[in-house]
Amino acid sequence: MAQPIQQCVIPAAGLGTRFLPATKALPKELLPVGNRPAIQWGVEEAAAAGASEMVIVLSEGKELIRDHFAPSPALEELLRARGKETQLEAVRSVSSLAQFTYTYQDQPLGLGHAVLCAREHVRKDPFFCLLPDDVSYGAAPVLAQLGEAFQRFGTTVLALMRVSEEQISRYGSVAVAETVGKYHRVTGVVEKPAVKDAPSLLAIMGRYVLLPDIFDHLAHQAPGAGGEIQLTDGIGKMLGTGDIWGVEFDGELLDVGTLEGWYATLFRLAPAYAPKALEMAQSVQ
Ligand code: G1P
């Protein structure tokens, strides 16, 4: 059996232009989704999948993300003194979710480049990669399902979701050769294809198990779609030396990386997290 995966790389260097002006000073990863910032959902998902170390890739000006995951002794002391045990626990649990390591991407050269920036902090073992633009929702966290697939196949693993013809050009698309239940063996990848060039309507979602060899490919990767160094292209090179499996996962990934998706996610989560909210919204005419 493969060793359990311990590290998770979380790219959080993007500019968040879709949410301006909200993200003028606030990193988009700290926009609240219910009572916690978007990126905390991702860290909790990675911790639930067994990762004990998060390697977060930042860009300049996004230090508030570090502050969020750092211990807050003064705030904790104040909450303790006031007997606010629930809030104290909520604050304390954030910094104890995992061990946090930070690294910086100096230029916005693409997702593949952002992942490459984590190289010096990743041990020579397989690792998770999670894009915090989606929140895992449903019975089993999506990253944990990828971890199970890794235990079974021991290869690079991608999260896959079937999308419509209109949507596929927003994602990486995969060619598949063999299907075993929810698992597909991937034989090709294309980043953001025009619908006529998409090998299938199975889209790569932002959850991965990557093998350390990916860094060599990313270091030599020429810019691809959008003029950026694409993680998908680096993953394609991995097909030269081994198999890749995809998981058409159970449950959902809720988009919090676009304004529409963010609102829709709040509506979806409201019944579970703030049951009176929808009623209140409907009563205001
Ligand atoms: C990235 C990946 C793409 C993937 C998508 C999932 O694209 O490059 O392959 O399908 O995430 O959200 P981005 O959304 O950063 O443009």
Side-chain angles (χ1 to χ4, degrees):
M1 198 157 124
Q3 287 289 314
I5 296 174
Q6 288 172 355
Q7 292 182 295
C8 182
V9 172
I10 304 183
L15 294 173
T17 48
R18 287 169 177 156
F19 282 95
L20 284 169
T23 50
K24 198 166 159 279
L26 185 73
K28 69 165 178 170
E29 294 80 3
L30 291 183
L31 287 172
V33 177
N35 69 350
R36 56 202 118 147
I39 193 170
Q40 189 179 328
W41 289 84
V43 168
E44 289 179 11
E45 182 185 342
S52 54
E53 185 185 348
M54 309 295 151
V55 180
I56 301 184
V57 184
L58 300 176
S59 54
E60 203 191 320
K62 299 187 82 172
E63 286 68 30
L64 276 177
I65 292 176
R66 298 177 87 125
D67 294 349
H68 179 72
F69 291 110
S72 311
L75 177 59
E76 288 177 25
E77 194 41 54
L78 191 129
L79 293 169
R80 194 175 296 113
R82 294 187 180 176
K84 296 198 179 294
E85 291 302 323
T86 313
Q87 291 89 336
L88 174 62
E89 190 38 43
V91 168
R92 243 196 321 218
S93 65
V94 176
S95 53
S96 54
L97 277 170
Q99 187 194 323
F100 293 88
T101 302
Y102 297 92
T103 186
Y104 281 81
Q105 183 187 30
D106 295 332
Q107 291 171 282
L109 298 179
L111 177 61
H113 180 257
V115 172
L116 179 61
C117 291
R119 181 177 203 163
E120 63 178 305
H121 300 289
V122 173
R123 288 181 288 275
K124 298 207 174 334
D125 293 315
F127 59 99
F128 289 122
C129 177
L130 177 149
L131 311 187
D133 276 348
D134 295 288
V135 165
S136 175
Y137 187 64
V142 174
L143 207 60
Q145 297 181 52
L146 267 64
E148 282 167 24
F150 175 71
Q151 291 304 319
R152 177 168 173 164
F153 299 108
T155 64
T156 299
V157 181
L158 312 177
L160 299 178
M161 187 175 87
R162 225 167 265 282
V163 301
S164 66
E165 287 197 346
E166 294 74 57
Q167 291 171 315
I168 194 66
S169 60
R170 279 198 247 149
Y171 298 100
S173 162
V174 297
V176 297
E178 191 186 339
T179 297
V180 187
K182 64 179 179 178
Y183 303 122
H184 303 277
R185 190 163 63 79
V186 172
T187 54
V189 291
V190 186
E191 178 68 10
K192 297 194 172 58
V195 64
K196 66 174 172 45
D197 302 323
S200 78
L201 294 179
L202 280 170
I204 304 174
M205 303 308 286
R207 304 287 187 277
Y208 310 82
V209 173
L210 299 173
L211 308 188
D213 290 355
I214 189 80
F215 292 123
D216 288 335
H217 296 303
L218 292 174
H220 299 107
Q221 188 60 56
E228 298 191 335
I229 297 173
Q230 295 291 353
L231 178 59
T232 301
D233 294 339
I235 289 171
K237 300 272 169 54
M238 296 294 288
L239 281 167
T241 48
D243 286 350
I244 295 181
W245 282 85
V247 184
E248 206 179 332
F249 54 83
D250 298 320
E252 288 176 83
L253 284 178
L254 305 180
D255 171 28
V256 295
T258 65
L259 195 59
E260 294 73 20
W262 180 80
Y263 270 108
T265 298
L266 294 191
F267 287 127
R268 288 292 303 282
L269 297 180
Y273 291 90
K276 291 203 188 110
L278 294 179
E279 209 179 295
M280 285 169 70
Q282 277 154 5
S283 71
V284 180
Q285 294 296 337

